[in-house]
Amino acid sequence: MPKTKTQGIIFGLIMSYAMAYGMEVYNVAIKQGFNTLAGGFSNMTNGVFWDALIEALYMGLFVFLFSNLWGNRIGAAFAARHCDPAKDNPYFCQVMRQAGTVAVMCPTMSLVASILFNVILAGNPWYNLPAIWVGTLLKNFPMALCWNMFAAAPFSHWLFHLIFGKKNAATEEVEKGTSHA
């Protein structure tokens, strides 16, 4: 995992964009009506991926910003209340942190999406925002939790390790004085 501030920023960007892109694929497919067709999401076309990529480019910035402002901190606090790294399985503690972060970030990003896509771009009146937000949250939360746990987090950890894995091992050897170079 990240050992420096730069690595933390890079991991945060990878995770933010992995979450944003997955959620945008889901929401664009719904917006285009694939969920209502016989066969549901199995009828998606490749155009969904392009449209989702365009939206994820700016939504990923919102995810990165809000996760750094409060999402990650509250997710860590949630995990600290529900698991003890000294006693509990590390995977359980990781799942608790993910669940806590999603429990904060999904309502946050659902509000951002509701304001941007439903009120500003679609012209719905502001007084409908609470109902739009709750509906967006109900639609997105199950997907956000599953996407985070089973796709975005594993992908982000894999990519981060691919980028920094060997560098981290070499850095640890130098710091411990065990380098054989």
Side-chain angles (χ1 to χ4, degrees), residues 84-106:
D84 179 1
K87 297 178 190 173
D88 293 323
N89 182 310
Y91 182 71
F92 175 72
C93 292
Q94 177 185 340
V95 167
M96 288 295 98
R97 180 159 183 168
Q98 288 174 272
T101 302
V102 170
V104 172
M105 288 303 296
C106 189

Side-chain angles (χ1 to χ4, degrees), residues 15-61:
M15 187 65 180
S16 296
Y17 276 94
M19 278 303 296
Y21 186 66
M23 292 306 297
E24 289 306 324
V25 167
Y26 176 67
N27 281 294
V28 166
I30 289 172
K31 184 170 44 175
Q32 293 180 1
F34 289 106
N35 60 316
T36 63
L37 299 175
F41 290 109
S42 298
N43 291 308
M44 270 182 24
T45 61
N46 291 332
V48 169
F49 299 119
W50 178 253
D51 293 344
L53 180 63
I54 292 168
E55 289 183 8
L57 290 174
Y58 55 88
M59 292 302 282
L61 290 174

Side-chain angles (χ1 to χ4, degrees), residues 3 166-181:
K3 297 191 184 299
K166 292 178 182 168
K167 189 181 238 184
N168 279 351
T171 303
E172 286 175 13
E173 284 183 13
V174 170
E175 288 173 358
K176 291 179 184 175
T178 59
S179 178
H180 300 289

Side-chain angles (χ1 to χ4, degrees), residues 148-165:
N148 182 289
M149 299 237 178
F150 301 114
F155 169 77
S156 297
H157 286 262
W158 171 81
L159 185 57
F160 182 83
H161 181 72
L162 188 68
I163 296 168
F164 291 106

